[in-house]
Structure formats: structure tokens, C-alpha cells
Amino acid sequence: MNRAEREAAVRRILEQTPAPVPPDLCAEAVRRGERVLRRRRFVHRVLWLLACAAVVAFTVWAVRVHPWVEPPSQTTPPVTGW
């Protein structure tokens, strides 16, 4: 299809009467959009709750275990210079 044929096809399509739009299309789109937003908000809240729980769990673990402290040596160092 060359350019002139494509332009003619587009003109034929644009000259036709538009398809009828269902009367409840806007209301249905708003309802679906609100549902999507509610789900997204719920997922964000759950993810924030999980992140906060992970921070609390890590803090409790760090306070109890003290990972920054070097563990005591299990062997004595060699004695030299006797």
C-alpha cells in the first residue's frame, strides 16, 4: 500500500459516522479506576508494614546478638620470648 492509498483509506475511515459509545462507559471507567487505586494503596500499605516489621526485627536481633563486637578468641596467642 503506497502513501496515497493509505491516505485515502484514512479519509474513508474518518468520513464514516463514529461508532456509538455506551452510555455507562464513563461510570465503568471511573469504577475500575477507583478499584485499581484501592488495590495499589493496599499493596503500598502492606509493603510499608513489611518494611517496618523488617526494621524492627533487625533492630531486635542486633541489640540481642551485638554483631559489631568481636567474638572472644578460642585459642591463646603463642608465647614467645621466654
Side-chain angles (χ1 to χ4, degrees):
M1 200 181 237
N2 62 18
R3 183 180 175 122
E5 291 173 348
R6 284 186 293 190
E7 288 178 359
V10 169
R11 284 193 182 97
R12 279 194 304 273
I13 292 172
L14 291 176
E15 288 172 356
Q16 294 175 355
T17 58
V21 177
D24 63 340
L25 181 66
C26 181
E28 181 69 18
V30 168
R31 186 183 66 77
R32 287 184 181 185
E34 287 174 348
R35 187 176 65 202
V36 168
L37 287 176
R38 269 195 314 269
R39 285 182 182 172
R40 186 176 296 162
R41 238 181 321 209
F42 175 74
V43 168
H44 284 180
R45 286 181 182 161
V46 167
L47 289 176
W48 273 109
L49 180 67
L50 288 174
C52 290
V55 168
V56 168
F58 175 77
T59 304
V60 168
W61 171 79
V63 167
R64 295 196 57 157
V65 174
H66 298 288
W68 55 87
V69 176
E70 186 175 331
S73 176
Q74 298 297 329
T75 60
T76 57
V79 179
T80 57
W82 269 84

